[in-house]
Amino acid sequence: MGFDYLTKLGFTTLVDSRTSDSGKVYSDINLSMALGGITDGVSNLELTAAFAAIANSGYYTKPSFYTKILDHDNKVLLKNKPTGRQVMKESTSFLLTSAMEDVVKKGTGSSVNFNEISMPIAGKTGTTSDDNDLWFAGYTPYYTAAIWSGYDNNKTQTNKSYQKIIWRDVMQRIHEEYKLESKPFTKPDSIVAADICTKSGKLAVDGLCDKYIGGSTVKTEYFARGTVPTEKCDIHVKVTICKDSKQLAGEYCPESSLEEKVYLIKEEKSPTKDTPYILPTKTCTKHNSKTKNTPTNTPFPPSNNNTGDIAPTTPPYDNGANNGNNNGSNGNNGNNGNGNNGSGNNGGTDTITGDGTETNDETDIEFYYDYSQ
């Protein structure tokens, strides 16, 4: 693809992030457009070269517009060997790249992701006051580019995304034309990874940070070797709460109401997204000494299924039935007049009078209880 395609779009600076035969990183293609902002202003050429240094593991290459000029016989007339120097640590450039990948993955630059191919992208959006200037500067493992858009008279812009769409369309076309394969940004040996808690910035604690009721706060982050946090998260705590009151469990809370949860220890002066998940400070006020022995279930009424689930109180009777309750298992003989088997499987109770006659006491006047129910 010819780069006249880029100039027709009024494209910005494009820098090749690949290395030369000697292993040094250089830029061999640059197109530029003015960029406002800062005190004295900066050009897109300068801005793109700065981002290219981050993409090139901290190695800055002075922008150039050509590498050599040939005559009609392909004889070299001029050579322009790029020059550069290391301006930041490899670990620093990688950490910046990792941070700016998040801008594209889930931040303000998400619309620059390619539609047709998968490719790692890192970059940063930017605006000036009143949205007079809009820009996006970013890079892949292959190329770096920056887009500026705005009016010469500093007019406010209402469309705040088109500079990102231009960046995406142009960069995607380049990667497709050159059939560039997706590959991750190079991670130097000086970088190590560790799981940290995003709330405390300290090492994540299993069973706490990953079980936080507000959602897991564990994230794998990269660090320059020797800078990994050594302290463990101390702002997540597991406590037992009462499910009924949503407060800290007290000594009178029933076991069925207890539950363990992980909360956040934090002081707030105004509500935040963390507010619903901050450790409660009050102990359960719903359960106390007065409610400790209160039955939780309503007693069942006597059963009428003759199964003997609930035994009714046997009413008193005269001395003709001294042993009426001794052999309840033989209740089928309760009407034999001897009173020995008065309360058995029949479910009813007969009262034996002094003269040996029996009276059906299914409804006992003294206790006002209908045993036939």
Side-chain angles (χ1 to χ4, degrees):
M1 179 190 70
F3 287 101
D4 56 338
Y5 172 76
L6 306 180
T7 58
K8 289 179 181 178
L9 288 175
F11 192 60
T12 168
T13 306
L14 180 71
V15 176
D16 190 328
S17 301
R18 291 171 290 186
T19 58
S20 65
D21 295 337
S22 62
K24 292 293 185 179
V25 181
Y26 63 89
S27 58
D28 60 0
I29 302 170
N30 294 280
L31 305 171
S32 65
M33 179 181 289
L35 173 67
I38 313 181
T39 302
D40 299 320
V42 61
S43 70
N44 263 8
L45 182 63
E46 295 170 318
L47 182 66
T48 309
F51 271 78
I54 303 173
N56 294 334
S57 300
Y59 190 86
Y60 173 81
T61 301
K62 182 179 179 180
S64 60
F65 291 93
Y66 69 94
T67 55
K68 60 185 176 181
I69 298 176
L70 308 177
D71 63 12
H72 62 282
D73 295 321
N74 288 330
K75 181 180 179 180
V76 177
L77 299 178
L78 291 174
K79 277 189 175 183
N80 187 12
K81 184 178 180 179
T83 60
R85 65 188 187 279
Q86 195 75 29
V87 294
M88 69 179 72
K89 295 179 181 178
E90 289 186 349
S91 58
T92 302
S93 65
F94 180 83
L95 293 176
L96 287 171
T97 297
S98 178
M100 287 191 285
E101 278 189 280
D102 283 345
V103 174
V104 175
K105 290 178 180 178
K106 56 186 178 182
T108 57
S110 58
S111 58
V112 306
N113 282 297
F114 296 167
N115 293 327
E116 304 299 330
I117 58 176
S118 175
M119 185 66 63
I121 299 172
K124 187 68 184 72
T125 60
T127 60
T128 57
S129 301
D130 302 319
D131 298 316
N132 289 341
D133 302 280
L134 304 173
W135 57 270
F136 181 81
Y139 50 91
T140 71
Y142 298 98
Y143 288 100
T144 300
I147 289 281
W148 168 85
S149 62
Y151 294 97
D152 290 338
N153 58 356
N154 289 329
K155 181 180 178 181
T156 297
Q157 300 178 82
T158 56
N159 185 334
K160 304 174 186 179
S161 298
Y162 71 98
Q163 80 282 9
K164 291 178 281 188
I165 303 305
I166 294 175
W167 190 98
R168 180 198 66 197
D169 291 347
V170 172
M171 291 289 277
Q172 179 173 279
R173 174 79 178 274
I174 294 171
H175 287 70
E176 288 176 337
E177 290 289 333
Y178 284 113
K179 295 179 172 57
L180 301 175
E181 296 182 357
S182 177
K183 66 177 182 179
F185 291 103
T186 303
K187 181 168 72 70
D189 294 337
S190 54
I191 292 292
V192 294
D195 289 336
I196 60 99
C197 171
T198 58
K199 293 296 182 182
S200 66
K202 300 178 181 180
L203 292 175
V205 178
D206 291 341
L208 292 180
C209 303
D210 56 333
K211 301 298 183 182
Y212 172 51
I213 60 174
S216 175
T217 58
V218 179
K219 183 180 181 182
T220 301
E221 286 284 8
Y222 293 108
F223 297 88
R225 192 178 301 277
T227 65
V228 177
T230 56
E231 297 181 353
K232 294 184 178 181
C233 175
D234 54 2
I235 63 173
H236 282 116
V237 59
K238 181 185 291 185
V239 297
T240 302
I241 68 161
C242 175
K243 293 187 289 186
D244 300 327
S245 65
K246 309 301 181 185
Q247 298 171 324
L248 294 174
E251 58 178 313
Y252 299 110
C253 296
E255 187 173 349
S256 60
S257 297
L258 303 182
E259 184 180 21
E260 284 190 336
K261 287 189 175 182
V262 177
Y263 286 90
L264 180 68
I265 301 175
K266 179 183 178 183
E267 293 184 2
E268 289 187 331
K269 295 183 178 179
S270 59
T272 68
K273 291 182 179 180
D274 293 329
T275 302
Y277 315 117
I278 293 179
L279 178 68
T281 56
K282 295 183 179 180
T283 303
C284 178
T285 55
K286 185 172 183 178
H287 301 110
N288 49 53
S289 58
K290 295 182 180 179
T291 63
K292 179 178 181 182
N293 297 318
T294 302
T296 57
N297 297 320
T298 303
F300 292 102
S303 172
N304 61 357
N305 60 6
N306 296 329
T307 61
D309 299 15
I310 300 176
T313 302
T314 303
Y317 44 83
D318 60 19
N319 56 10
N322 293 328
N323 299 314
N325 293 323
N326 292 337
N327 300 300
S329 62
N330 298 319
N332 289 330
N333 298 320
N335 58 358
N336 62 8
N338 61 14
N340 289 331
N341 303 310
S343 56
N345 294 332
N346 288 337
T349 302
D350 293 336
T351 300
I352 309 301
T353 64
D355 58 4
T357 61
E358 67 178 16
T359 301
N360 190 331
D361 274 340
E362 288 184 345
T363 303
D364 191 280
I365 301 302
E366 181 179 355
F367 290 91
Y368 296 97
Y369 195 90
D370 188 352
Y371 290 108
S372 64
Q373 296 297 316

